[in-house]
């Protein structure tokens, strides 16, 4: 585990874009980690939160690797996909 990357207990559900966002702190900078819920078929916050709670450590591990590889999108976010969890 990279100690320069810490995941904080903050989770946001973004309705219009159907995204679930969790946050990492990387050397003092807050980084949004995005999960596209449309790919998962999860349409509401309750189901999305339950899904994230179930796979939280998998998502965080995947996001950590993407951050270490500096795989940021043009908005400076990390996009975590299902394929990344396999």
């Amino acid at each position: 585990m990279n100690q320069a990357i810490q995941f904080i207990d903050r989770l946001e559900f973004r309705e219009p874009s159907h995204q679930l966002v969790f946050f990492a702190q990387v050397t003092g900078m807050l980084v949004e980690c995005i999960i596209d819920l449309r790919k998962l078929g999860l349409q509401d916050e309750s189901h999305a939160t339950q899904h994230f709670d179930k796979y939280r450590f998998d998502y965080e591990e995947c996001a950590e690797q993407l951050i270490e590889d500096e795989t940021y999108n043009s908005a400076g976010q990390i996009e975590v996909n299902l394929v990344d969890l396999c």
Side-chain angles (χ1 to χ4, degrees):
M1 176 181 242
N2 187 334
Q3 292 184 355
I5 302 171
Q6 296 179 340
F7 293 93
I8 60 173
D9 276 342
R10 181 175 164 196
L11 189 62
E12 291 180 6
F13 179 75
R14 297 189 178 159
E15 183 64 42
S17 56
H18 290 294
Q19 293 177 331
L20 196 60
V21 183
F22 62 104
F23 296 85
Q25 193 168 26
V26 182
T27 58
M29 184 177 78
L30 200 59
V31 175
E32 292 184 347
C33 302
I34 307 294
I35 303 168
D36 186 351
L37 298 174
R38 292 173 292 195
K39 294 178 182 176
L40 296 171
L42 302 171
Q43 297 298 320
D44 63 48
E45 185 172 358
S46 173
H47 287 102
T49 301
Q50 288 175 358
H51 172 80
F52 181 78
D53 287 343
K54 183 175 181 181
Y55 296 105
R56 176 183 202 111
F57 295 110
D58 295 319
Y59 278 116
E60 288 179 354
E61 185 177 312
C62 179
E64 181 177 0
Q65 185 61 53
L66 292 168
I67 290 167
E68 288 174 354
D69 294 343
E70 297 184 9
T71 314
Y72 297 93
N73 66 16
S74 61
Q77 301 164 320
I78 293 294
E79 296 178 12
V80 182
N81 299 308
L82 284 178
V83 105
D84 297 329
L85 293 178
C86 299

